[in-house]
Amino acid sequence: MLGYIRRRNKQAARPRAVTFPEAGARRSQKMPELPEVETTRRGLVPLVVGRRIATIDVYDPRLRWPVPADLGARSAGRVIEGLDRRSKYLLFRLGHGTLLVHLGMTGSLRAFSQAPPRRRHDHVDIVLDNGVTLRYHDPRRFGAMLWLPESGTAHRLLARLGPEPFDAAFDASYLWQSTRRRGAAIKLALMDNHLVVGVGNIYANESLFRAGIRPSTPANRISRQRLGRLVGEVQATLADAIAKGGSTLRDYVDSAGEPGYFQLDYFVYGREGTPCRVCRTAIRMRRMGGRATSYCPRCQR
Ligand SMILES: [Zn+2]
């Protein structure tokens, strides 16, 4: 009984944000898309590259796929030679192997110079030789942490991915040629990882608005010139989000709160029924492939 009271008192003395982190997290949490993953990578690079992994502590291996039991044994003692990103996968280069991390729907990877007590949903700690701890937190556990041989390019998760949106290979000719036999809506094509990676729902909506293309337009009915414009707007939209993410980099280190995921001022995403920022026509919403699709009926043809 005494213990119970003491616990309650201790909780009552804590600030609200710490007492109820889950409720707050759920309200504010946005699924990490390519810009958030890239922001995480840029935040971690200066802390981890060149450091040696001391231990990996797996508290709960039940992610989207089980965390391999030998992950710690394979990784311990290895130097992190680089930290790359492919699509939404973070790839820690460890000499003859790669540690792959995916943040799933609700995952985050934060660095702590001194690890605080574990919270609920903290599943994995990667401890470096300088004492820095990378902590993987994921309430819904749709993320992944896997060991891939060598660079992992042959692994089933990576082998069939399309080009990165910032690759030179993703240009007007490529998009035109690869959509000539696709009668499906351009928005669905854009979100297909085999065509181009990392264009999630939000960024597909936004770049189609910026390119003036109606999301339901069959991909093979769009001219090469308009697809060229779309390529540019996909890149610009993602670059804007990554630039915005840069202002939140400090949130990835020694911060007790949720990751500093950020929001652009969207043109159409989540704005149905409100006036278009360009022409004042009401933004419309329909579902395509199960995902909310917003567009301006006047600006997008
Ligand atoms: Zn408009």
Side-chain angles (χ1 to χ4, degrees):
M1 187 62 188
L2 257 180
Y4 172 72
I5 291 171
R6 202 174 296 140
R7 258 202 314 280
R8 272 180 58 95
N9 286 345
K10 207 168 143 196
Q11 275 195 351
R14 286 181 192 158
R16 187 184 162 85
V18 177
T19 311
F20 304 108
E22 297 318 316
R26 205 159 288 140
R27 269 197 304 276
S28 65
Q29 188 106 39
K30 169 177 170 284
M31 187 168 94
E33 295 214 41
L34 185 143
E36 286 81 5
V37 178
E38 178 61 18
T39 299
T40 299
R41 190 189 73 81
R42 293 182 186 187
L44 294 181
V45 160
L47 298 165
V48 308
V49 173
R51 306 309 319 192
R52 200 175 289 276
I53 293 180
T55 57
I56 296 186
D57 298 316
V58 180
Y59 305 109
D60 189 343
R62 296 170 302 163
L63 300 184
R64 180 165 180 185
W65 301 285
V67 178
D70 60 356
L71 187 68
R74 286 182 184 273
S75 312
R78 289 181 187 258
V79 172
I80 300 172
E81 295 170 358
L83 174 53
D84 299 330
R85 179 189 56 73
R86 179 77 171 102
S87 187
K88 298 203 303 184
Y89 299 104
L90 289 167
L91 303 169
F92 291 80
R93 304 302 187 184
L94 304 175
H96 294 301
T98 298
L99 169 63
L100 172 147
V101 178
H102 192 276
L103 302 178
M105 307 278 291
T106 53
S108 65
L109 193 61
R110 318 286 300 280
F112 297 96
S113 51
Q114 280 199 313
R118 274 175 55 224
R119 293 183 306 155
R120 207 172 154 217
H121 308 306
D122 288 343
H123 304 309
V124 180
D125 277 347
I126 303 171
V127 185
L128 307 182
D129 60 354
N130 57 352
V132 165
T133 296
L134 306 185
R135 180 161 286 176
Y136 183 75
H137 175 88
D138 189 356
R140 293 187 64 187
R141 292 195 275 110
F142 279 109
M145 201 166 289
L146 298 171
W147 174 268
L148 313 184
E150 304 297 331
S151 66
T153 43
H155 190 272
R156 64 193 161 81
L157 290 177
L158 305 179
R160 294 180 63 227
L161 293 176
E164 290 285 323
F166 295 108
D167 270 1
F170 180 61
D171 63 6
S173 297
Y174 168 79
L175 193 55
W176 186 78
Q177 273 167 13
S178 53
T179 52
R180 286 315 86 192
R181 286 192 206 162
R182 283 178 185 250
I186 182 63
K187 185 189 176 221
L188 298 179
L190 212 49
M191 291 179 65
D192 179 351
N193 266 336
H194 301 119
L195 189 74
V196 57
V197 300
V199 186
N201 191 43
I202 293 174
Y203 300 104
N205 277 300
E206 290 297 298
S207 37
L208 284 165
F209 175 86
R210 288 162 64 144
I213 298 171
R214 188 75 65 98
S216 56
T217 312
N220 59 4
R221 301 258 306 273
I222 305 174
S223 71
R224 193 186 191 115
Q225 191 192 355
R226 296 183 83 207
L227 289 173
R229 185 168 169 205
L230 180 57
V231 166
E233 295 299 348
V234 164
Q235 291 168 341
T237 305
L238 290 169
D240 284 355
I242 291 169
K244 192 138 186 182
S247 63
T248 70
L249 279 183
R250 78 178 68 166
D251 295 341
Y252 288 81
V253 183
D254 289 333
S255 164
E258 290 304 313
Y261 291 164
F262 39 89
Q263 284 207 327
L264 290 177
D265 297 324
Y266 299 126
F267 281 106
V268 287
Y269 180 76
R271 295 196 66 242
E272 58 270 20
T274 64
C276 171
R277 293 191 198 282
V278 173
C279 74
R280 315 305 296 167
T281 305
I283 299 297
R284 283 190 200 159
M285 202 275 274
R286 57 175 286 195
R287 298 225 154 240
M288 287 177 56
R291 308 298 300 275
T293 302
S294 310
Y295 63 98
C296 172
R298 186 155 170 209
C299 293
Q300 293 172 264
R301 304 278 176 179

